[in-house]
Amino acid sequence: MAMYNDKVMDHFMNPHNVGEIQGADGSGTYGSPVCGDMMKIDIKVENDVIKDAKFKTFGCGSAIASSSVATDMIIGLTIDEALAVTNKQIIDELGGLPAIKIHCSVLADHAIKSAIYDYAQKNGKTYKGLEGFDPNADEDEHGCEV
Amino acid sequence: MRQVYLDYSATTPVKEDVLNAMIPYFTEKFGNPSSLYTVGTVSREAIEKARGQVAKLINAQDKEIFFTSSGTEADNWAVFGIVDALKNKGNHIITTKIEHHALLHTGDFLEKHGYDVTYLDVEPDGRVNPEALKAAITDKTILISIMFVNNEVGTVQPIKELAAIAKERGIVFHTDAVQALGNVHIDVKDLGVDLMSVSAHKIYGPKGVGALYIRKGVQLSNFMHGGAQESKRRAGTENLPGIVGFGKAAELAYENLDAHIKKVSELRNYFIDQVMSKIENVTLNGSKEFRHPGNANLTFEFIEGEAMLLYLDMKGIAVSTGSACSSASLVPSHVLSALGIPVEKIHGSLRFTVGEPTTKEDIDYVVEQLVEVVNKLRSISSVSKTKGW
Amino acid sequence: MRQVYLDYSATTPVKEDVLNAMIPYFTEKFGNPSSLYTVGTVSREAIEKARGQVAKLINAQDKEIFFTSSGTEADNWAVFGIVDALKNKGNHIITTKIEHHALLHTGDFLEKHGYDVTYLDVEPDGRVNPEALKAAITDKTILISIMFVNNEVGTVQPIKELAAIAKERGIVFHTDAVQALGNVHIDVKDLGVDLMSVSAHKIYGPKGVGALYIRKGVQLSNFMHGGAQESKRRAGTENLPGIVGFGKAAELAYENLDAHIKKVSELRNYFIDQVMSKIENVTLNGSKEFRHPGNANLTFEFIEGEAMLLYLDMKGIAVSTGSACSSASLVPSHVLSALGIPVEKIHGSLRFTVGEPTTKEDIDYVVEQLVEVVNKLRSISSVSKTKGW
Ligand SMILES: Cc1ncc(COP(=O)(O)O)c(C=O)c1O
Ligand SMILES: Cc1ncc(COP(=O)(O)O)c(C=O)c1O
Ligand code: FES
Ligand code: FES
């Protein structure tokens, strides 16, 4: 399969951190099935550190691979560090995505922010990295044209 | 690992007999068919033989067949040829929302050049309502183009009835029969069509050769300008081996038509039954009754088509999808959209096309793998029947 | 009987290596290059490889090569694509009287659709005078199309100089290089052309595949509308084996270019010398210096070309003629006419083109037979040097 590199294919075929966390500290959903991609992410937080993250994704190969690698990346990071993760880093971690699939990585990046936003809301916390973030904002950024 | 190709509507392998027929025309019998010496006349005769073979498959006269480089070229020629020839008569064209891009994008181009194009809606099963066609005709209508068999959902149109409506109003009728050829019975005389596009690579012939049937007496402008080939109607040195291969493939399709239809439709039906009984939340898109014999277009809810396609590819299985995620422009299938299928369901659609080489063992293997893939992707998915979309 | 094909400008046989490269793509590796699964991506990669091979032969970037179904299609696309894209800028095109019909008939069509087309005269050797080009340019000129190497008399144009004139005036420059490819050195960057047409079957590749070089940044409308193939610029399922064959033929032509030119030009010169020394009242048409390496276009006075052609064919020799008697429309060669050759002489013209498989023995045989044929026909003829025309 020449469309995706081996690393993407591996994360797609054997995704890490699939599932849901019972009693999650934060939970966020981003995207819409109408756009063809929707990711839900649950996080477990202790002392501002993400102890665990799990995802469920409706979407294409690169959406699933991005979800897998993004959850891998944030486990063990502080909230501030996790908020600093960009879709560019997700792409780099995957060893690159086809240009047309870049938006699928944006999905993962936004889903993480949404989950942290939920955690912040529930715990009355504020993070610099969430400034200006609106989990319900228009999704024009990730390329859905429907 | 077993390799199962189930995308015969995308393209077919060239049959051994077809390739063998072609081979001599690359090397020894390579003459330019326009040349007057023997090496050339041998080529000319080979082309005329192929013309007869293609004509026979659709019950046309030999001289009503004009070879082109593809189904796409035949579609372009039909449309541009008629609008140019009849530009003093009108500027309105009628086609449908479910045509191949060869028609749709030609229509878009014409719209930018002062033409009016009506894209007819279709019924939920993909059929054109003859009353809708009648209602769309105006005094300015110069061409009606409606595809014979749809490439995604396989719906077969009532071409004879639709062509009769055109004829009554004195309007030229074209049909894109690229998917129909070799898969349904075609008799141009009985159908009463004026123009018909076909392509070799969908009937186990080579890629890069097609034909336009032009009913005797129909006037249309040339599309490809240059040399005097094809009775001066289509220029360019003939794709000699390709045309010979098209002829041979047409001959085989003619001899084999009933057996082919029986075989692929039985396997296709078995496939659909198996899938439906083993996987939940699956729907069949298109028409049950009026359908390409090999086509099964299915929606697997709650998961996305490109992901399924890639998984299946890892298991040696080749299929296609109408999902937006798999298209270069991220637009969901225009055909499934026109059938009124909601976008989230289009994302989960796969097209399987059974072909002549397909066996029951192939189907059993695909069903088995499909169950696994669908279960796996559904277990990853953020949507499900209980959670809803 | 010896068979000697001396019409390599009409078409060439496919080389064994080229055919072998193509074969797998008819049967096992038959996937549609647009398909996402492995069977499709294998095809896509084969096409990209071929694109690189063709690009290298003319020193283009890979992505500047767009495959078409023929040189004819490339010519049509270049012209229609530019006139549509630049229709707000002007409606005047400049080309020459000696172009291939793919250009001339496209020009005729445009003239019927409100365009002005200037067909430049040429010098007696077939070359375009750069001053004549300059003089023909108007404020409305949007395209200049001048062929690189003429197919009948083999004259090579000063393309670099002509393209520079176009560039200075900001006009798009196209060249039909169908006869040039593989026969002269081509470097599109050095030449400064915007568009260039080529065809596989003139360089020992298959019939039915060509390409248009589109310099990066040149805007032109699509000609073939439909699917997203060729970066959305040329629709239609790709002629996969044909493209692979074109790639291989281009690779071989690249490796072999200097040796090819040396070999065919030496044989061609030997042929001309032999004919001239053994037959009287023969003239060479075209340019001595600026000439296709394999081309010998000769006029045999007092006799008619079709008759010579048929006689030679009886002796296993394949050549072509510019005689009106051999053309479907009974019009003498427009190229020889444009060179100012009188009609009665055009009737006696034969085009011989030497190719890679040609041997010295072939040439000796042809000369021997030619002497006989010319003598025989002259003995029958009602005209002669002494009697006059
Ligand atoms: C219905 C239909 N029309 C036209 C075409 C175009 O034919 P071709 O691939 O020969 O250009 C296809 C297949 O690609 C098709 O399925
Ligand atoms: C100069 C020239 N241009 C264009 C063409 C047309 O190319 P094709 O035969 O590939 O259509 C030819 C040959 O036929 C030619 O010699
Ligand atoms: S989810 Fe649609 S392109 Fe990735
Ligand atoms: S002499 Fe017979 S066609 Fe010219």
Side-chain angles (χ1 to χ4, degrees), chain B residues 5 7 10-14 16 19 22-23 26-27 30-33 35-39 69-70 72-73 76 80 84 87 100-102 105-106 109 113 201-202 206-208 221-227 232 234-241 306 309-310 313 317-320 326 328-329, chain C residues 5 7 10-14 16 19 22-23 26-27 30-33 35-39 69-70 72-73 76 80 84 87 100-102 105-106 109 113 201-202 206-208 221-227 232 234-241 306 309-310 313 317-320 326 328-329:
Chain B
Y5 181 79
D7 204 16
T11 192
T12 58
V14 171
E16 216 48 46
L19 181 58
M22 295 169 69
I23 298 274
F26 288 107
T27 47
F30 69 93
N32 191 317
S35 299
L36 298 180
Y37 41 75
T38 311
V39 188
S69 67
S70 59
T72 296
E73 186 189 331
N76 276 256
F80 285 117
D84 187 66
K87 61 178 175 289
H100 189 267
H101 283 130
H105 289 165
T106 300
F109 185 85
H113 289 75
H201 76 99
K202 310 286 188 182
K207 294 171 179 58
S221 300
N222 286 2
F223 175 64
M224 197 75 80
H225 302 269
K232 299 193 187 173
R234 196 277 182 184
T237 303
E238 299 88 339
N239 178 347
L240 172 65
E306 188 205 277
L309 183 155
L310 293 181
D313 186 39
I317 298 166
V319 302
S320 71
S326 82
S329 44
Chain C
Y5 182 78
D7 203 16
T11 192
T12 58
V14 172
E16 214 50 42
L19 181 58
M22 295 170 67
I23 297 274
F26 287 109
T27 47
F30 69 93
N32 191 316
S35 299
L36 297 179
Y37 41 74
T38 309
V39 187
S69 67
S70 59
T72 297
E73 185 190 332
N76 276 255
F80 286 116
D84 186 66
K87 60 180 175 289
H100 189 267
H101 283 130
H105 289 165
T106 299
F109 185 83
H113 289 74
H201 75 98
K202 310 285 187 182
K207 294 172 178 59
S221 300
N222 286 1
F223 176 63
M224 197 74 83
H225 302 268
K232 301 193 185 172
R234 197 276 181 181
T237 303
E238 298 89 338
N239 178 349
L240 173 65
E306 192 204 273
L309 184 153
L310 293 181
D313 186 37
I317 298 165
V319 301
S320 71
S326 82
S329 43

Side-chain angles (χ1 to χ4, degrees), chain A residues 21-141:
Chain A
I21 298 177
Q22 296 304 317
D25 296 313
S27 186
T29 301
Y30 197 79
S32 138
V34 175
C35 300
D37 48 6
M38 182 164 100
M39 177 176 177
K40 177 172 177 292
I41 188 159
D42 292 347
I43 52 171
K44 193 87 197 151
V45 183
E46 273 172 36
N47 300 326
D48 253 23
V49 171
I50 296 175
K51 285 289 174 196
D52 196 12
K54 291 220 179 297
F55 82 87
K56 282 213 158 187
T57 291
F58 167 88
C60 73
S62 73
I64 291 170
S66 297
S67 307
S68 170
V69 85
T71 47
D72 267 0
M73 285 167 78
I74 61 165
I75 293 172
L77 296 189
T78 65
I79 296 279
D80 284 320
E81 285 167 344
L83 284 171
V85 170
T86 63
N87 79 300
K88 171 93 175 47
Q89 287 171 308
I90 295 170
I91 296 166
D92 287 347
E93 191 64 25
L94 282 168
L97 282 176
I100 190 159
K101 295 292 184 176
I102 299 299
H103 67 279
C104 312
S105 62
V106 177
L107 173 80
D109 153 31
H110 278 60
I112 291 168
K113 287 201 172 61
S114 298
I116 295 175
Y117 183 87
D118 180 49
Y119 169 75
Q121 292 282 304
K122 282 180 180 155
N123 296 279
K125 300 199 174 205
T126 53
Y127 294 100
K128 202 163 182 312
L130 280 177
E131 269 170 29
F133 178 74
D134 176 358
N136 302 311
D138 272 354
E139 292 163 7
D140 52 349
E141 216 184 314

